[in-house]
Amino acid sequence: MALKIGSEDRRKVAIAVILGVVVLFLVLRALFAAFGSGTPPAPLPPTIARTSPASPATTGPAVTAPALPLAGAHEATKVSGSMAGLDPTLHPEWMAAAESLKYAGKGRNIFSMESAPVIEAPKAPVRPSPQEIAVAQAPPPPPPIDLKFFGYEAHAGGERKAFLLHGDDIFIAAMGDVVDHRYKILQIAPFSIQVQDIPYNDTQTLQLVQN
């Protein structure tokens, strides 16, 4: 009877130990997931599946190339032909032949310092002189008075009136009169008159024009 009771106790102890180990494993797993996992890993970039077009003679399904990552992907460039034909050996005779070539063109040789163009001397000073600046800044001269003096008439007391032509218009003006709202008669002589251009404040002498 004592042996049977001892066997049942050992079985219960074994079951309790197994349950304890399972519970401890579950507790440790939950703690690790809550505090020890940290930031989850970043997802992989999306991939693009490239499908090669089927040839006209091919009736089967399209062939799909392996997917390549989109972000940061760079495909190497394939060089056509073989590199076996290239000779990396230096040839001094070829270099000497190239250096012995002479420029035979008509223009300037940009590889020679001796062919630099001759800089001509300036034909005029770069900056104008003060006299030229003064002349350039001076106001333009007044225009000539557009009147023609072709005669006069004398009155009693020595008064004279001049006959003036302005374009197709004829004016008879005495001293002090203004012709065409612009020209003032200052003096009338037998063979000339003095006229003032009022806008320009300029006085000019007009000679008698013979018909």
Side-chain angles (χ1 to χ4, degrees):
M1 186 66 179
L3 180 59
K4 184 178 180 180
I5 295 174
S7 298
E8 292 179 356
D9 291 339
R10 286 195 297 272
R11 183 181 300 174
K12 292 179 179 180
V13 170
I15 294 173
V17 171
I18 294 173
L19 291 176
V21 172
V22 173
V23 171
L24 181 62
F25 173 75
L26 294 177
V27 171
L28 293 177
R29 182 178 180 182
L31 293 176
F32 179 78
F35 300 101
S37 60
T39 305
L44 294 176
T47 58
I48 298 178
R50 297 186 301 169
T51 303
S52 59
S55 61
T58 304
T59 58
V63 179
T64 304
L68 296 177
L70 177 62
H74 180 72
E75 186 176 357
T77 303
K78 183 179 180 181
V79 180
S80 60
S82 177
M83 301 295 290
L86 298 179
D87 185 10
T89 306
L90 294 178
H91 296 273
E93 63 278 6
W94 294 358
M95 299 175 62
E99 292 178 356
S100 62
L101 294 177
K102 294 184 179 181
Y103 178 74
K106 297 181 179 180
R108 176 189 174 189
N109 184 7
I110 61 174
F111 301 101
S112 176
M113 294 295 296
E114 299 177 356
S115 64
V118 179
I119 301 177
E120 298 181 358
K123 299 180 180 179
V126 179
R127 295 183 179 179
S129 62
Q131 293 79 8
E132 294 176 349
I133 296 177
V135 171
Q137 294 179 351
I145 295 178
D146 189 16
L147 290 177
K148 291 183 179 180
F149 173 48
F150 62 93
Y152 72 95
E153 63 178 357
H155 295 271
E159 182 183 4
R160 295 175 180 173
K161 291 185 178 181
F163 297 96
L164 303 173
L165 182 64
H166 183 250
D168 295 334
D169 300 327
I170 299 176
F171 296 91
I172 300 175
M175 292 178 54
D177 292 346
V178 177
V179 178
D180 200 17
H181 308 285
R182 176 172 179 174
Y183 304 111
K184 184 177 181 180
I185 307 303
L186 299 179
Q187 185 179 2
I188 301 176
F191 299 100
S192 65
I193 61 173
Q194 288 186 355
V195 183
Q196 180 186 14
D197 192 347
I198 298 176
Y200 287 91
N201 193 20
D202 178 59
T203 301
Q204 300 180 20
T205 301
L206 303 181
Q207 301 296 328
L208 178 64
V209 176
Q210 301 292 336
N211 292 335

